[in-house]
mmCIF file of all heavy atoms in Angstrom:
data_model
loop_
_atom_site.group_PDB
_atom_site.id
_atom_site.type_symbol
_atom_site.label_atom_id
_atom_site.label_comp_id
_atom_site.label_asym_id
_atom_site.label_seq_id
_atom_site.Cartn_x
_atom_site.Cartn_y
_atom_site.Cartn_z
ATOM 1 N N ARG A 66 8.984 -16.673 -27.409
ATOM 2 C CA ARG A 66 8.631 -15.556 -28.304
ATOM 3 C C ARG A 66 7.266 -15.782 -28.954
ATOM 4 O O ARG A 66 6.507 -14.829 -29.167
ATOM 5 C CB ARG A 66 9.712 -15.368 -29.361
ATOM 6 C CG ARG A 66 10.985 -14.709 -28.820
ATOM 7 C CD ARG A 66 11.894 -14.265 -29.951
ATOM 8 N NE ARG A 66 12.977 -13.436 -29.441
ATOM 9 C CZ ARG A 66 14.211 -13.869 -29.218
ATOM 10 N NH1 ARG A 66 14.510 -15.148 -29.452
ATOM 11 N NH2 ARG A 66 15.145 -13.047 -28.764
ATOM 12 N N ALA A 70 4.049 -13.210 -28.533
ATOM 13 C CA ALA A 70 3.250 -12.699 -29.647
ATOM 14 C C ALA A 70 1.763 -12.935 -29.407
ATOM 15 O O ALA A 70 0.915 -12.072 -29.706
ATOM 16 C CB ALA A 70 3.697 -13.360 -30.950
ATOM 17 N N LEU A 100 -0.647 -15.805 -16.369
ATOM 18 C CA LEU A 100 -1.990 -16.375 -16.466
ATOM 19 C C LEU A 100 -2.869 -15.375 -17.201
ATOM 20 O O LEU A 100 -2.842 -14.180 -16.887
ATOM 21 C CB LEU A 100 -2.559 -16.652 -15.060
ATOM 22 C CG LEU A 100 -4.020 -17.108 -14.974
ATOM 23 C CD1 LEU A 100 -4.201 -18.465 -15.625
ATOM 24 C CD2 LEU A 100 -4.476 -17.162 -13.510
ATOM 25 N N ASN A 109 -3.755 -25.001 -15.730
ATOM 26 C CA ASN A 109 -3.494 -25.353 -17.126
ATOM 27 C C ASN A 109 -3.196 -24.140 -17.992
ATOM 28 O O ASN A 109 -2.563 -24.262 -19.039
ATOM 29 C CB ASN A 109 -4.694 -26.115 -17.711
ATOM 30 C CG ASN A 109 -4.876 -27.483 -17.084
ATOM 31 O OD1 ASN A 109 -3.909 -28.088 -16.629
ATOM 32 N ND2 ASN A 109 -6.106 -27.972 -17.038
ATOM 33 N N ASN A 110 -3.693 -22.974 -17.572
ATOM 34 C CA ASN A 110 -3.479 -21.758 -18.350
ATOM 35 C C ASN A 110 -2.323 -20.912 -17.826
ATOM 36 O O ASN A 110 -2.116 -19.796 -18.288
ATOM 37 C CB ASN A 110 -4.754 -20.903 -18.364
ATOM 38 C CG ASN A 110 -5.841 -21.523 -19.221
ATOM 39 O OD1 ASN A 110 -5.685 -21.662 -20.428
ATOM 40 N ND2 ASN A 110 -6.934 -21.926 -18.600
ATOM 41 N N VAL A 116 13.503 -17.765 -18.344
ATOM 42 C CA VAL A 116 14.260 -16.721 -19.054
ATOM 43 C C VAL A 116 15.633 -16.492 -18.433
ATOM 44 O O VAL A 116 16.278 -15.484 -18.718
ATOM 45 C CB VAL A 116 13.470 -15.398 -19.077
ATOM 46 C CG1 VAL A 116 12.183 -15.553 -19.862
ATOM 47 C CG2 VAL A 116 13.176 -14.910 -17.652
ATOM 48 N N THR A 127 9.627 -7.398 -22.363
ATOM 49 C CA THR A 127 9.481 -6.048 -21.812
ATOM 50 C C THR A 127 8.918 -5.092 -22.852
ATOM 51 O O THR A 127 7.998 -4.310 -22.575
ATOM 52 C CB THR A 127 10.842 -5.529 -21.308
ATOM 53 O OG1 THR A 127 11.339 -6.430 -20.317
ATOM 54 C CG2 THR A 127 10.699 -4.147 -20.700
ATOM 55 N N CYS A 160 -1.289 -3.125 -9.175
ATOM 56 C CA CYS A 160 -0.599 -3.778 -8.058
ATOM 57 C C CYS A 160 -1.624 -4.147 -6.992
ATOM 58 O O CYS A 160 -2.270 -3.265 -6.415
ATOM 59 C CB CYS A 160 0.468 -2.858 -7.476
ATOM 60 S SG CYS A 160 1.332 -3.556 -6.054
ATOM 61 N N GLU A 163 -1.004 -2.508 -3.541
ATOM 62 C CA GLU A 163 -1.506 -1.139 -3.411
ATOM 63 C C GLU A 163 -3.027 -1.109 -3.359
ATOM 64 O O GLU A 163 -3.614 -0.295 -2.645
ATOM 65 C CB GLU A 163 -0.985 -0.283 -4.570
ATOM 66 C CG GLU A 163 0.524 -0.125 -4.601
ATOM 67 C CD GLU A 163 1.080 0.426 -3.300
ATOM 68 O OE1 GLU A 163 0.465 1.348 -2.740
ATOM 69 O OE2 GLU A 163 2.119 -0.082 -2.836
ATOM 70 N N LYS A 167 -5.583 0.308 -0.011
ATOM 71 C CA LYS A 167 -6.605 1.346 -0.150
ATOM 72 C C LYS A 167 -7.977 0.899 0.334
ATOM 73 O O LYS A 167 -8.901 1.717 0.435
ATOM 74 C CB LYS A 167 -6.685 1.790 -1.609
ATOM 75 C CG LYS A 167 -5.428 2.499 -2.095
ATOM 76 C CD LYS A 167 -5.522 2.868 -3.567
ATOM 77 C CE LYS A 167 -4.243 3.539 -4.045
ATOM 78 N NZ LYS A 167 -4.286 3.876 -5.497
ATOM 79 N N GLY A 203 18.519 -19.861 -9.365
ATOM 80 C CA GLY A 203 19.571 -19.813 -10.378
ATOM 81 C C GLY A 203 20.056 -21.186 -10.786
ATOM 82 O O GLY A 203 20.864 -21.312 -11.703
ATOM 83 N N ILE A 220 -2.186 -18.206 -9.729
ATOM 84 C CA ILE A 220 -3.577 -18.525 -9.380
ATOM 85 C C ILE A 220 -4.003 -17.715 -8.164
ATOM 86 O O ILE A 220 -5.093 -17.109 -8.145
ATOM 87 C CB ILE A 220 -3.732 -20.036 -9.121
ATOM 88 C CG1 ILE A 220 -3.447 -20.824 -10.395
ATOM 89 C CG2 ILE A 220 -5.136 -20.348 -8.599
ATOM 90 C CD1 ILE A 220 -3.459 -22.325 -10.210
ATOM 91 N N ARG A 251 -26.431 5.011 9.745
ATOM 92 C CA ARG A 251 -25.269 4.175 10.010
ATOM 93 C C ARG A 251 -24.112 5.011 10.552
ATOM 94 O O ARG A 251 -23.400 4.600 11.466
ATOM 95 C CB ARG A 251 -24.848 3.470 8.715
ATOM 96 C CG ARG A 251 -23.618 2.568 8.838
ATOM 97 C CD ARG A 251 -23.875 1.432 9.786
ATOM 98 N NE ARG A 251 -22.734 0.528 9.882
ATOM 99 C CZ ARG A 251 -22.562 -0.373 10.830
ATOM 100 N NH1 ARG A 251 -23.469 -0.510 11.794
ATOM 101 N NH2 ARG A 251 -21.505 -1.150 10.846
ATOM 102 N N LEU A 261 -17.081 5.723 22.232
ATOM 103 C CA LEU A 261 -16.909 4.796 23.343
ATOM 104 C C LEU A 261 -15.572 4.059 23.236
ATOM 105 O O LEU A 261 -14.838 3.931 24.221
ATOM 106 C CB LEU A 261 -18.060 3.790 23.369
ATOM 107 C CG LEU A 261 -19.442 4.342 23.730
ATOM 108 C CD1 LEU A 261 -20.513 3.271 23.523
ATOM 109 C CD2 LEU A 261 -19.452 4.815 25.181
ATOM 110 N N GLN A 280 6.323 -1.177 36.856
ATOM 111 C CA GLN A 280 6.733 -2.565 37.064
ATOM 112 C C GLN A 280 8.001 -2.906 36.287
ATOM 113 O O GLN A 280 8.457 -4.048 36.327
ATOM 114 C CB GLN A 280 5.597 -3.502 36.658
ATOM 115 C CG GLN A 280 4.349 -3.348 37.518
ATOM 116 C CD GLN A 280 3.213 -4.256 37.052
ATOM 117 O OE1 GLN A 280 3.453 -5.361 36.572
ATOM 118 N NE2 GLN A 280 1.980 -3.792 37.206
ATOM 119 N N CYS A 288 2.054 -6.574 23.844
ATOM 120 C CA CYS A 288 2.515 -5.264 23.387
ATOM 121 C C CYS A 288 3.917 -4.970 23.907
ATOM 122 O O CYS A 288 4.451 -5.687 24.746
ATOM 123 C CB CYS A 288 1.547 -4.162 23.824
ATOM 124 S SG CYS A 288 1.212 -4.160 25.586
ATOM 125 N N ASP A 315 20.661 31.944 3.927
ATOM 126 C CA ASP A 315 19.514 31.827 3.022
ATOM 127 C C ASP A 315 18.372 31.093 3.727
ATOM 128 O O ASP A 315 18.337 29.874 3.793
ATOM 129 C CB ASP A 315 19.934 31.077 1.752
ATOM 130 C CG ASP A 315 18.793 31.035 0.727
ATOM 131 O OD1 ASP A 315 17.797 31.752 0.933
ATOM 132 O OD2 ASP A 315 18.911 30.279 -0.258
#
Side-chain angles (χ1 to χ4, degrees):
R66 285 193 170 100
L100 174 65
N109 292 332
N110 288 296
V116 296
T127 302
C160 178
E163 297 305 318
K167 294 177 182 178
I220 296 175
R251 179 63 178 165
L261 292 172
Q280 296 178 34
C288 54
D315 185 11

